Amino acid sequence: MLTAANSKHDLPLHPRLQPASRHDSVSFVVSTVEFSQRFTLGTVEKMLLDAAHDAAAIYDLLKHQGIQSFIDLNERGTKNLETESDMKISPKGIPPICLAGKKMKPYGFDHAQKRHKWICPMMQNRTTNTCSTPCSDAKYGRTFHTCSKDNPRLFSDVARSSEQWNLTYKRRTTVERCNKREKNDYNLRQVAIVPPRCGTSIFTAL
């Protein structure tokens, strides 16, 4: 189900029955390609998806289509990821400080370099570092940059910890309401597929 997230009435744009044996991410690829071939009334700017669609191929597909992705992370493990420096990346895409183990704070987006800037969470008033074991003697403390092109899955264009992400992603509830209406109000749950002798499936209500 592809739904207009900015619609006041939870407008379904592309309802599509998919095989239950098919993974949600594969079904999404089928639906989005079909939709892009049929929908000519406007453009899609953002795509809001749950963690079942958290795959590198999905990010690449949306980028190819010129769509900004808002996909919830599927935390495949609890271990931090190593980097070329002494920093590590958390499963949620946030770099913690290596020595203190604290998650760094987002500090804006560099539009020229197209990267996010992170600063030490113990910095106060931009000049005072309250960390007992500071890993940098710089005036503004330790900084770290993440770039979406390096890993679009972990380093989304809009930081997952930001207010903009939260305000945008909460609109994904529209598709849940559409699914509820389709399955419960329209009794789709009571539909079964009965294969006739000719070998083509038909739908029948239970």
Side-chain angles (χ1 to χ4, degrees), residues 1-4 11-16 28 31-32 35 47 49 175:
M1 171 75 74
L2 296 182
T3 307
L11 179 66
L13 298 177
H14 187 66
R16 176 69 151 82
F28 168 75
S31 295
T32 189
F35 178 73
M47 190 69 72
L49 302 170
V175 74

Side-chain angles (χ1 to χ4, degrees), residues 67-131:
I67 300 174
Q68 191 175 33
S69 58
F70 287 76
I71 306 176
D72 196 17
L73 274 178
N74 178 13
E75 297 182 29
R76 296 174 173 84
T78 57
K79 294 183 179 179
N80 293 333
L81 303 178
E82 301 288 342
T83 65
E84 295 180 356
S85 67
D86 57 357
M87 288 286 186
K88 294 182 179 180
I89 306 299
S90 76
K92 293 186 177 181
I94 300 175
I97 298 176
C98 59
L99 296 179
K102 296 183 180 296
K103 295 180 179 179
M104 300 185 77
K105 296 190 301 185
Y107 196 69
F109 183 77
D110 184 348
H111 292 278
Q113 300 293 329
K114 294 184 178 180
R115 61 185 186 181
H116 290 277
K117 184 177 181 179
W118 306 79
I119 63 170
C120 174
M122 306 303 290
M123 289 297 299
Q124 295 182 359
N125 301 324
R126 299 186 180 183
T127 56
T128 304
N129 193 329
T130 60
C131 180

Side-chain angles (χ1 to χ4, degrees), residues 5-45:
N6 59 347
S7 169
K8 296 181 180 180
H9 307 289
D10 304 333
L11 179 66
L13 298 177
H14 187 66
R16 176 69 151 82
L17 293 176
Q18 304 279 2
S21 58
R22 179 185 289 169
H23 193 273
D24 287 351
S25 61
V26 179
S27 296
F28 168 75
V29 173
V30 174
S31 295
T32 189
V33 171
E34 290 179 346
F35 178 73
S36 63
Q37 294 172 345
R38 293 168 171 79
F39 184 72
T40 59
L41 298 177
T43 58
V44 178
E45 296 180 354

